[in-house]
């Protein structure tokens, strides 16, 4: 993994487009990395984030997770939805659901603990971007054809709803902060359902 995704003083160590294509479509690189990460995906997300080496994110586990997210997201790009949900996907559905739930909670904690992207080290910023990019790609698939149980809030856990009601919207795909609207104000946002159902709960 370190051969293709090394960590040095700058942290800017991405494989070339040709190498990335080869890793994604001519090897089982992503599947092997997922197997090495599976145990950490089953622990508490707070523990997992600490184990990844917050705030620098230069541990072997952080490197493996970044490499997996980048390569697997590349594998997903040419898949039809039927392929993504079928045997063409290198990850079976039970593992996909574990991955989605893990990334959902990890991304939330990452933004909560390190809200200012500009203050992150390059390695931490690269990892956060890789995690949120893959999470956004998986969410887009779910929007077209739902596959993660839980309805509209499957991708925005309760803690995220409460946080996002108080903060500018966070675009998980690009890590950009929207300054003009909150996510529950958008009619297509899952937070519309969350805030409507919590009207008597005292939530702001």
């Amino acid at each position: 993994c370190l051969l293709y995704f090394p960590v040095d003083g700058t942290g800017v160590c991405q494989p070339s487009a040709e190498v990335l294509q080869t890793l994604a479509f001519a090897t089982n690189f992503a599947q092997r990395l997922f197997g090495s990460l599976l145990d950490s995906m089953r622990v508490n997300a707070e523990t997992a984030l600490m184990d990844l080496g917050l705030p620098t994110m230069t541990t072997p586990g952080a490197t493996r997770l970044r490499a997996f997210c980048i390569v697997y997201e590349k594998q997903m790009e040419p898949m039809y939805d039927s392929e993504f949900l079928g045997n063409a996907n290198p990850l079976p559905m039970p593992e996909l659901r574990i991955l989605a739930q893990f990334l959902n909670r990890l991304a939330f904690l990452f933004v909560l603990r390190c809200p200012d992207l500009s203050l992150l080290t390059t390695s931490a910023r690269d990892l956060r971007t890789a995690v949120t990019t893959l999470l956004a790609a998986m969410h887009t698939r779910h929007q077209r054809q739902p596959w993660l149980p839980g309805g509209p809030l499957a991708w925005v856990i309760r803690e995220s709803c409460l946080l996002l009601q108080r903060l500018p919207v966070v675009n998980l795909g690009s890590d950009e902060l929207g300054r003009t609207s909150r996510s529950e104000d958008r009619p297509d946002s899952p937070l519309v359902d969350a805030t409507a159902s919590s009207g008597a709960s005292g939530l702001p």
Side-chain angles (χ1 to χ4, degrees):
C1 182
L2 287 174
L3 177 64
Y4 304 109
F5 295 86
V7 177
D8 63 14
T10 67
V12 183
C13 301
Q14 291 282 94
S16 66
E18 293 78 8
V19 170
L20 184 56
Q21 286 281 123
T22 301
L23 291 175
F25 301 113
T27 73
N28 64 348
F29 185 77
Q31 297 95 303
R32 288 189 289 111
L33 282 180
F34 182 85
S36 72
L37 294 165
L38 191 54
D39 286 344
S40 63
M41 292 182 184
R42 290 178 167 142
V43 304
N44 177 277
E46 185 82 50
T47 301
L49 188 63
M50 293 301 105
D51 289 345
L52 290 172
L54 192 72
T56 59
M57 296 297 192
T58 56
T59 64
T63 301
R64 288 196 302 271
L65 180 59
R66 179 171 68 94
F68 166 78
C69 289
I70 292 171
V71 175
Y72 184 60
E73 195 271 333
K74 173 61 69 174
Q75 282 182 311
M76 286 175 53
E77 285 181 1
M79 287 186 198
Y80 291 106
D81 288 343
S82 58
E83 294 175 323
F84 176 76
L85 298 173
N87 294 332
N89 195 323
L91 299 182
M93 185 54 64
E95 293 183 348
L96 271 179
R97 288 171 176 162
I98 291 172
L99 174 63
Q101 291 162 353
F102 170 74
L103 293 181
N104 191 9
R105 286 159 175 77
L106 187 69
F108 163 73
L109 285 175
F110 217 146
V111 173
L112 182 65
R113 299 285 180 268
C114 308
D116 191 342
L117 194 65
S118 66
L119 297 181
L120 294 176
T121 65
T122 304
S123 296
R125 186 166 60 249
D126 287 350
L127 177 60
R128 175 168 150 176
T129 299
V131 166
T132 55
T133 298
L134 176 56
L135 183 61
M138 296 176 74
H139 177 240
T140 298
R141 297 277 184 173
H142 179 84
Q143 286 183 310
R144 291 198 296 263
Q145 189 168 343
W147 52 271
L148 187 64
L153 295 183
W155 293 88
V156 185
I157 59 175
R158 177 173 173 79
E159 291 83 354
S160 297
C161 291
L162 297 176
L163 177 67
L164 292 175
Q165 287 171 24
R166 296 173 173 82
L167 295 178
V169 61
V170 177
N171 181 330
L172 292 183
S174 64
D175 285 316
E176 294 177 353
L177 294 180
R179 302 298 180 183
T180 60
S181 66
R182 300 187 305 169
S183 46
E184 73 269 24
D185 295 328
R186 301 197 309 272
D188 61 339
S189 170
L191 293 185
V192 171
D193 294 336
T195 53
S197 63
S198 62
S201 66
L203 293 178

